Amino acid sequence: MADPKGFLKVRERELPTRRPVPVRIMDWNEVYETREEDAAALKRQAGRCMDCGIPFCHDGCPLGNLIPEWNDLTRTGRWDEAIERLHATNNFPDFTGRLCPAPCETSCVLGINQPAVTIKNIELSIIDEAFERGLVTPLIPERLTGQTVAVIGSGPAGLATAQQLTRAGHTVAVYERDDRIGGLLRYGIPEFKMEKRHLDARLEQMEAEGTRFRPSVEIGADGELTGTELLERYDAVVLATGATIRRDLPVPGRELDGIHQAMDYLPQGNRAALGEHVPDQITAEGKDVVVIGGGDTGADCLGTALRQGAKNVIQLEIMPRPTEERPAGQPWPTYPMIYRVSSAHEEGGERVYATSTVEFVGDENGAVKELRVVEVDMSSGRPEPVEGTERTIPAQLVLLAMGFTSVQTDGLVEQLGLEVDQRGRLVRSSEFQTSNEQVFVAGDAGRGQSLIVWAIAEGRSAAAAVDEYLRGHTELPAPIEPTTVSITV
């Protein structure tokens, strides 16, 4: 049972200390101090959990994490039981504890009139403590089913699908077109947000369990397995390829040199940070940098550019600046659109809101030298230029971080004859199946661009559907359906 007075005695949140900005921008390590957690502070924060009769944090998290349970186990120092309860619903708390925006916290009941419980930090403390204590071990199936599954894509959805199906006794191969396994976890997330040693530790566990990894293979491409051959070789196929078609900005001057998609820039920065040689690397060193897009990917570009020695960084967002407090139209327990400051925003640069790019202006060599922008009014629901606000911003490097629009349809999707809906998502049934009953879809490829925690939930649910398809029954948990959405208004 939780401390019945915990949330009355301790009313404020306590979080780990981030390293000083002048220190951390000199390297690529995670932004937090070396993890020597103040055990007393952690127990105080875990003790603030009210152990609600109806824990809305369960609904805020699509995984259905058993948050009050592992909060109290943390408070009492029962780490072996805490990690067991955490792993019962989440394959990769070491990823979500670092990367998830924590919708569980915004739906915390305590958050109605106090600062919410520090759920995300408690989760991360449990998994880090578990690794240090040797409590994270391979779960090898007792027997094999003799059935095979191919998972295409090795992001969080693909990895969660693969781990669940491997533990159910199926023989699973994960195919990845990049040279290393991990998808966006590997090359899209900067090292300062999640050091790749955490990903590698999970991959070692999965290999020990029996999952087989096949990097540098683009299924459906010339010289590789075709869709037809894939179906002949495997009993079931799961597409977890993500929504990889990037949103562009077709304004005059887009063809100029020095304008790049964020997902061309960030992977190169990650490779260089890990000591790899990157020919013709896109770098921000000594440049005025403009990042177009105010989301997490834009912040990742900001932090990367600062570490590369950018002269100046401006992050543009077409929407108005969010408020500090919950908007009236986004009450508890919804996830509110409020003004948030990431670790990258603490480090420098400028955030400019309600501003739209009109034109990229080039120099005599065909390279971008500045942006022509204008302030916009969103009161009508659409961006309307504000007369007299046009100005220029110097830029020798422009990074487009405006999200993704759809799944890639040429190649494998086309070969399998799969249907795509109006939003660019693969059409699937309530059982995560496409029109071909042998082919399933998990993650952003079926849901559209979403969060890592939703990707893991999708992977777990798709794995249960595949297991039932192969064996006629399943004991694997399925936390969501394809149509499940987050708490919203």
Side-chain angles (χ1 to χ4, degrees):
M1 176 179 174
D3 182 350
K5 295 184 179 180
F7 64 96
L8 298 175
K9 295 182 294 186
V10 181
R11 292 180 174 267
E12 297 302 320
R13 288 161 63 91
E14 300 168 278
L15 292 168
T17 304
R18 290 172 177 167
R19 295 186 293 139
V21 169
V23 174
R24 71 185 194 231
I25 64 171
M26 299 300 292
D27 61 42
W28 295 91
N29 299 331
E30 288 183 10
V31 300
Y32 291 98
E33 298 282 3
T34 302
R35 198 169 191 86
E36 294 179 358
E37 191 72 62
D38 182 341
L42 184 65
K43 289 183 178 181
R44 283 196 299 271
Q45 290 301 305
R48 294 182 68 234
C49 179
M50 300 165 64
D51 193 13
C52 305
I54 301 177
F56 276 79
C57 54
H58 285 198
D59 286 326
C61 175
L63 287 166
N65 280 333
L66 306 172
I67 295 167
E69 293 185 32
W70 44 254
N71 277 344
D72 191 53
L73 291 168
T74 299
R75 180 180 70 88
T76 54
R78 294 148 66 187
W79 296 106
D80 53 344
E81 295 177 65
I83 189 58
E84 181 183 0
R85 302 313 291 150
L86 183 52
H87 271 155
T89 57
N90 187 353
N91 296 67
F92 311 122
D94 30 340
F95 305 161
T96 54
R98 289 174 167 83
L99 305 175
C100 182
C104 54
E105 293 187 7
T106 58
S107 60
C108 171
V109 175
L110 187 59
I112 295 174
N113 60 4
Q114 282 192 37
V117 175
T118 58
I119 299 170
K120 178 178 174 179
N121 181 54
I122 295 168
E123 173 185 10
L124 184 58
S125 299
I126 293 171
I127 183 58
D128 282 354
E129 187 75 22
F131 267 110
E132 290 177 11
R133 292 171 177 254
L135 300 176
V136 182
T137 57
L139 300 181
I140 301 171
E142 294 182 1
R143 61 180 62 86
L144 297 179
T145 65
Q147 294 170 306
T148 58
V149 182
V151 176
I152 316 302
S154 67
L159 293 180
T161 304
Q163 186 167 61
Q164 292 294 95
L165 289 172
T166 297
R167 290 174 173 178
H170 304 299
T171 300
V172 182
V174 178
Y175 290 90
E176 169 59 56
R177 63 182 175 183
D178 280 333
D179 60 340
R180 299 185 70 184
I181 297 295
L184 288 182
L185 292 170
R186 174 71 64 185
Y187 291 127
I189 301 298
E191 193 78 353
F192 58 81
K193 285 181 67 174
M194 186 182 79
E195 295 175 11
K196 300 308 171 287
R197 60 187 176 88
H198 302 296
L199 172 59
D200 292 335
R202 278 297 178 183
L203 297 181
E204 289 177 12
Q205 179 198 35
M206 291 181 67
E207 284 188 305
E209 291 172 345
T211 301
R212 302 172 183 182
F213 295 117
R214 302 285 185 265
S216 300
V217 179
E218 184 173 1
I219 302 293
D222 292 343
E224 302 289 0
L225 279 175
T226 66
T228 301
E229 291 170 334
L230 191 69
L231 296 179
E232 291 174 350
R233 182 174 295 190
Y234 293 94
D235 297 310
V237 173
V238 181
L239 301 185
T241 54
T244 56
I245 302 302
R246 306 150 185 178
R247 183 173 285 108
D248 212 322
L249 187 60
V251 300
R254 173 62 181 88
E255 75 286 351
L256 293 169
D257 292 337
I259 304 172
H260 304 276
Q261 286 283 353
M263 282 304 156
D264 291 328
Y265 170 70
L266 289 174
Q268 290 189 358
N270 265 345
R271 290 178 182 274
L274 294 170
E276 296 183 30
H277 173 64
V278 182
D280 302 318
Q281 181 186 354
I282 304 166
T283 179
E285 184 177 2
K287 297 175 182 176
D288 294 302
V289 180
V290 173
V291 180
I292 300 178
D296 288 342
T297 302
D300 293 346
C301 290
L302 168 64
T304 300
L306 291 172
R307 283 163 176 75
Q308 290 177 344
K311 178 182 176 183
N312 183 53
V313 186
I314 294 177
Q315 187 178 5
L316 299 182
E317 170 57 55
I318 197 169
M319 300 298 291
R321 185 186 187 276
T323 58
E324 302 277 350
E325 302 294 331
R326 275 185 183 271
Q330 299 173 19
W332 175 89
T334 63
Y335 187 80
M337 299 302 294
I338 61 174
Y339 183 73
R340 293 178 170 89
V341 179
S342 71
S343 64
H345 294 135
E346 293 177 343
E347 296 165 357
E350 180 184 0
R351 303 166 80 176
V352 178
Y353 290 91
T355 300
S356 177
T357 302
V358 177
E359 180 184 9
F360 299 113
V361 181
D363 61 19
E364 62 277 7
N365 298 315
V368 66
K369 70 172 184 179
E370 62 187 21
L371 279 68
R372 196 157 60 85
V373 302
V374 66
E375 293 180 17
V376 295
D377 179 10
M378 295 292 294
S379 57
S380 67
R382 297 179 60 85
E384 301 290 344
V386 178
E387 187 176 350
T389 62
E390 192 171 295
R391 64 188 177 101
T392 59
I393 300 175
Q396 300 84 53
L397 175 62
V398 178
L399 301 171
L400 306 180
M402 301 183 296
F404 302 88
T405 61
S406 61
V407 70
Q408 180 180 330
T409 55
D410 59 326
L412 181 58
V413 170
E414 186 177 49
Q415 292 170 11
L416 292 173
L418 304 182
E419 184 181 352
V420 178
D421 68 15
Q422 292 181 338
R423 291 179 54 187
R425 306 170 301 182
L426 290 174
V427 175
R428 56 189 183 175
S429 71
S430 60
E431 301 302 320
F432 292 85
Q433 281 174 304
T434 67
S435 54
N436 185 325
E437 67 171 16
Q438 195 178 342
V439 181
F440 296 74
V441 178
D444 290 1
R447 175 167 292 274
Q449 184 181 356
S450 190
L451 303 175
I452 181 174
V453 68
W454 281 92
I456 297 172
E458 286 253 340
R460 289 173 67 86
S461 296
V466 172
D467 189 40
E468 185 165 0
Y469 165 75
L470 293 175
R471 298 197 296 169
H473 63 90
T474 185
E475 297 175 358
L476 295 178
I480 62 172
E481 296 180 355
T483 54
T484 305
V485 296
S486 58
I487 299 177
T488 186
V489 292

